[in-house]
Amino acid sequence: MRRETESPSSPGTPLIRVVIQIPCYNEEEALPVTLGELPRALEGVDRVEWLIIDDGSTDRTVEVARAHGVDHVVSLPAHQGLARGFAAGLAASLAAGADIVVNTDADNQYHAGDIQKLIDPILRGEAELVVGERPIDAIPHFSRTKRLLQRLGSWTVRLASRTSVPDAPSGFRAMSRSAATRLNVYNDFSYVLETIIQAGHKGIAVTSVPIRTNPDLRPSRLVRSNLHYILRQGLTIVRIFMTYRPFAFFAVPGAVVFAGGVLGGLRFLWFYLSGDGSGHVQSLILSALLLGIGFFLIVVGLLADLSAVNRKLLESVDGRLQEMEYRARRGSEHVEGPPA
């Protein structure tokens, strides 16, 4: 039976609301197990609400969710993938007045009893994004290859994001309202690596906590094969690095190529002054080509960096608008009283 939870707050004290969101695509069989484990009460929190994102399901996912007491349902008109579902849920959670958003999977992969561990660093003001670290070596259905790929991917993300997250592909995570308003998902495949890299480049405080996992209910729908996963996530890392470090991505290689062209030109000049220039025309042509390519990459880097500044300004404005909407909503709640 659904149990509404509110701890008694003093008059005028804003409620602390946690929204647990679950992206779903045809999850009518696994969803009851997952929802049955979710908490309705957490220490330091006044309200705990559940939200599912129906990513174009063709089964009874929504009916099952409502029957099990889900507070909010976000329905996408067609199947758009995990990343789009996550982003839609994040927007809906913020619109519902969430102070902390917790994301978990519909297949009950993550132990719901560890949600308290995820939100505690946020409640203490120690972090804005908390990622659950799975016991990779102890998960039975993870092959040796998959475990190796998990470590390699996490190591790559740590380099790209300048964070210390040991399990970057983990989807079990909590984020503060401030972090959620500053994270934007551009990738269509998955959000897990992109959001960590963004957090690192935006100065969002990131930490990890060890969490438990449950037995596998169904095979992963995201990973078709190890090669497919590597290619898609590798492309994500490159794309995000290009988005958030455009000058370094373009201008640094451009400067290296330009320097090669300068060296080639000096080499030709040496032979030319020595009276043997006619035999090294190829060096002059290659030098001119490298100089042109290098200069082009440097200019692209400068233009991309200017574009990145505009994008950051737009993201900042969007975050401020969401914060204003949140404050207006909370002010209305204070006047009218908390929902029953």
Side-chain angles (χ1 to χ4, degrees):
M1 179 181 295
R2 176 182 172 189
R3 178 165 59 91
E4 294 289 347
T5 301
E6 278 188 20
S7 60
S9 298
S10 59
T13 302
L15 296 173
I16 298 178
R17 178 175 293 153
V18 170
V19 175
I20 305 173
Q21 70 169 39
I22 310 174
C24 297
Y25 177 61
N26 292 340
E27 297 287 2
E28 68 171 311
E29 294 184 4
L31 193 56
V33 179
T34 303
L35 294 176
E37 299 293 329
L38 290 185
R40 275 295 185 181
L42 293 165
E43 293 182 13
V45 173
D46 297 285
R47 290 182 62 85
V48 178
E49 299 177 1
W50 302 345
L51 179 148
I52 72 157
I53 305 99
D54 172 31
D55 188 17
S57 297
T58 56
D59 64 358
R60 297 180 60 255
T61 293
V62 174
E63 291 86 342
V64 169
R66 294 191 188 280
H68 285 77
V70 167
D71 302 275
H72 311 279
V73 175
V74 178
S75 294
L76 302 182
H79 181 54
Q80 300 182 26
L82 181 61
R84 294 303 175 193
F86 171 83
L90 207 59
S93 296
L94 292 173
D99 296 286
I100 300 175
V101 181
V102 175
N103 187 83
T104 188
D105 285 355
D107 61 359
N108 201 41
Q109 175 186 171
Y110 307 110
H111 198 291
D114 291 331
I115 289 178
Q116 185 72 55
K117 295 171 63 177
L118 284 180
I119 69 171
D120 279 344
I122 298 176
L123 292 173
R124 294 193 298 263
E126 299 171 356
E128 298 171 277
L129 173 62
V130 183
V131 181
E133 178 188 355
R134 296 167 293 178
I136 299 298
D137 292 333
I139 299 178
H141 62 274
F142 274 22
S143 65
R144 181 178 299 179
T145 301
K146 188 170 183 179
R147 292 170 184 169
L148 178 62
L149 291 175
Q150 293 281 355
R151 295 192 184 95
L152 179 61
S154 296
W155 175 78
T156 305
V157 170
R158 286 196 294 273
L159 290 181
S161 65
R162 295 173 291 187
T163 64
S164 58
V165 176
D167 186 12
S170 172
F172 194 42
R173 51 185 66 190
M175 64 204 78
S176 68
R177 183 185 72 256
S178 174
T181 57
R182 295 157 65 190
L183 294 175
N184 299 276
V185 179
Y186 301 112
N187 183 33
D188 292 329
F189 180 60
S190 177
Y191 63 89
V192 289
L193 306 187
E194 180 177 8
T195 49
I196 293 176
I197 295 174
Q198 278 191 36
H201 287 286
K202 292 183 176 182
I204 296 173
V206 183
T207 191
S208 295
V209 295
I211 52 106
R212 295 165 289 177
T213 57
N214 296 316
D216 194 25
L217 291 181
R218 59 164 175 74
S220 172
R221 295 171 179 168
L222 185 65
V223 182
R224 300 177 186 173
S225 66
N226 289 332
L227 179 60
H228 173 262
Y229 185 76
I230 291 172
L231 291 176
R232 292 299 299 266
Q233 295 292 43
L235 181 61
T236 296
I237 293 172
V238 172
R239 181 180 177 184
I240 297 303
F241 188 78
M242 180 176 62
T243 301
Y244 286 91
R245 298 286 299 278
F247 186 78
F249 187 85
F250 290 104
V252 171
V256 173
V257 173
F258 190 86
V262 171
L263 291 176
L266 292 174
R267 180 178 183 272
F268 173 79
L269 184 60
W270 169 265
F271 284 110
Y272 179 80
L273 294 177
S274 300
D276 192 24
S278 59
H280 298 277
V281 176
Q282 298 91 337
S283 296
L284 180 61
I285 296 174
L286 178 61
S287 174
L289 184 62
L290 292 177
L291 287 171
I293 294 174
F295 180 76
F296 173 77
L297 288 175
I298 292 173
V299 171
V300 169
L302 290 170
L303 294 176
D305 193 55
L306 291 174
S307 177
V309 171
N310 290 329
R311 176 186 48 74
K312 291 176 182 178
L313 290 174
L314 290 174
E315 289 180 351
S316 176
V317 170
D318 180 63
R320 290 177 181 273
L321 288 175
Q322 292 189 59
E323 184 66 20
M324 290 171 62
E325 292 175 0
Y326 168 83
R327 292 182 181 277
R329 186 180 304 109
R330 280 304 171 90
S332 175
E333 286 182 1
H334 174 60
V335 172
E336 300 174 2

